[in-house]
Amino acid sequence: MPQELVYCIYGINVATSLPLPALKSPLPAEVSILRGSAPDILSAAFSANQKLQFDGHRVLLNQPLFGKLLIEKPGNITLDFNPSLSQAHTITALQGSGLGTLLHLRKQIPLHGMAIATDKGAIVVLADSGSGKSTLATAMLLANLSVFTDDIVALQSDKNGVLQIQPAHRRLKLSQSQLHTLGIDTSMLSNTAPGIEKIGWDIPEAQFAAVPMPIIKCLFLEPVKTNSANAHITAIGKLEAFQRLLQSVYRPRLIRVFDHEQSFFTLNQQLQHQCQSYTMQLPDLGHFPSLSDYGKAIANQLLSL
């Protein structure tokens, strides 16, 4: 049986025998990942949604691509997955649906986006699926910046009340073309889930942002591109920032299911007090000779904000 190790992912110390592409932690585990049998129905479930049931302490997720996940307070996650599911796909489900839902249960509202480390702190770029987060993460790596995540953004206040981004894990979800641009041989890599084209690739440790950092800028990525060779970045007011932040929550309906509206309002107040928010339209890649040049141009704009 593989050895169980403790990893720090999203600021949570997780014990598992799965080889997670995350930082190993010397601290005791807060969460245990187990393989076992999950029920089909939670006896006290008040959610009519067959894919998500919640009884106040436990969440049951039923996902056709993977199987069932039972997530319990304070910190057990039981994996009851399809027997044919590969280890790589199991890790995808755990790092996404499993731990993302656990963050909600812990009232640490996760966001959907990517983030980079700078000398002054972290810059967070929030965006919907398919809007270019992974392309931007790839470009930032080519610009020699460190990346926290390209999917789930986990935030936590330090002892002084400063909102910090927590390191996620080193696995990005990239396309074949993005990986080829990075010079990566994809022959030994796996897609992230059955039937999904994106491929899981682990950031080199030297370019993984491994230390929590305070957030210094928050940008909301627009789906449309600019017609120039520069990103169009515009500062926005508090009301628009609030609305966009709500749209950027990872699985936003869980706020209502778990009755965590107050946690979201607190997060919004902290973020708006701490940093300016912006919208950003990225230029089309066709304006640049390479993804590396694109990355350097965008990085210079972000660092000069």
Side-chain angles (χ1 to χ4, degrees):
M1 175 177 275
Q3 180 185 3
E4 188 173 76
L5 297 172
V6 178
Y7 298 90
C8 186
I9 177 171
Y10 307 133
I12 305 171
N13 294 309
V14 179
T16 178
S17 59
L18 288 167
L20 300 186
L23 299 172
K24 293 184 177 66
S25 174
L27 300 176
E30 305 165 72
V31 175
S32 293
I33 310 299
L34 313 168
R35 289 185 184 270
S37 179
D40 293 322
I41 297 174
L42 296 181
S43 58
F46 56 79
S47 172
N49 189 330
Q50 293 300 306
K51 292 184 179 180
L52 187 148
Q53 299 173 44
F54 176 54
D55 66 2
H57 300 281
R58 300 177 299 167
V59 180
L60 179 64
L61 297 178
N62 194 342
Q63 298 182 304
L65 288 178
F66 300 107
K68 292 183 289 186
L69 274 159
L70 181 64
I71 304 157
E72 304 173 271
K73 291 181 179 180
N76 283 335
I77 299 179
T78 301
L79 310 179
D80 186 1
F81 286 159
N82 304 327
S84 61
L85 196 70
S86 70
Q87 180 173 270
H89 295 165
T90 298
I91 289 172
T92 296
L94 171 62
Q95 294 183 151
S97 297
L99 292 173
T101 302
L102 181 63
L103 284 168
H104 270 287
L105 269 181
R106 292 163 62 103
K107 299 186 179 180
Q108 295 173 235
I109 308 297
L111 303 176
H112 203 193
M114 60 86 63
I116 57 173
T118 76
D119 292 340
K120 296 179 180 178
I123 296 176
V124 174
V125 180
L126 302 176
D128 293 332
S129 296
S131 56
K133 298 187 308 297
S134 296
T135 299
L136 186 59
T138 307
M140 295 301 96
L141 291 173
L142 290 169
N144 294 318
L145 291 175
S146 296
V147 173
F148 284 95
T149 179
D150 75 336
D151 189 19
I152 293 179
V153 175
L155 307 176
Q156 194 171 28
S157 297
D158 66 10
K159 62 182 181 181
N160 297 314
V162 176
L163 201 59
Q164 295 187 318
I165 181 169
Q166 296 292 325
H169 52 80
R170 294 193 293 116
R171 187 154 298 171
L172 300 187
K173 299 175 182 178
L174 302 177
S175 67
Q176 285 268 7
S177 61
Q178 289 164 344
L179 287 165
H180 290 160
T181 299
L182 289 167
I184 305 300
D185 179 5
T186 61
S187 61
M188 301 299 290
L189 300 179
S190 168
N191 61 345
T192 57
I196 302 298
E197 292 184 0
K198 287 290 185 79
I199 294 172
W201 174 69
D202 296 350
I203 305 173
E205 290 186 9
Q207 282 192 275
F208 177 57
V211 178
M213 281 189 172
I215 300 171
I216 58 170
K217 295 288 185 295
C218 180
L219 297 99
F220 298 94
L221 188 59
E222 301 276 16
V224 296
K225 300 290 191 293
T226 67
N227 292 321
S228 70
N230 292 313
H232 184 63
I233 300 174
T234 306
I236 57 175
K238 291 185 177 182
L239 178 58
E240 184 176 355
F242 169 82
Q243 294 168 336
R244 287 179 177 268
L245 187 67
L246 185 58
Q247 295 167 0
S248 301
V249 171
Y250 178 78
R251 301 200 169 171
R253 68 189 181 92
L254 293 184
I255 293 178
R256 177 181 51 80
V257 170
F258 297 160
D259 194 22
H260 287 167
E261 286 85 355
Q262 186 56 53
S263 297
F264 174 75
F265 290 136
T266 299
L267 170 65
N268 174 67
Q269 289 174 333
Q270 285 182 284
L271 188 61
Q272 296 208 32
H273 174 74
Q274 188 166 315
C275 68
Q276 175 66 53
S277 294
Y278 304 82
T279 57
M280 177 168 68
Q281 290 177 267
L282 292 171
D284 191 276
L285 282 170
H287 289 293
F288 301 88
S290 69
L291 185 59
S292 177
D293 290 298
Y294 169 85
K296 291 173 184 175
I298 303 304
N300 286 337
Q301 280 191 265
L302 292 176
L303 294 174
S304 64
L305 280 178

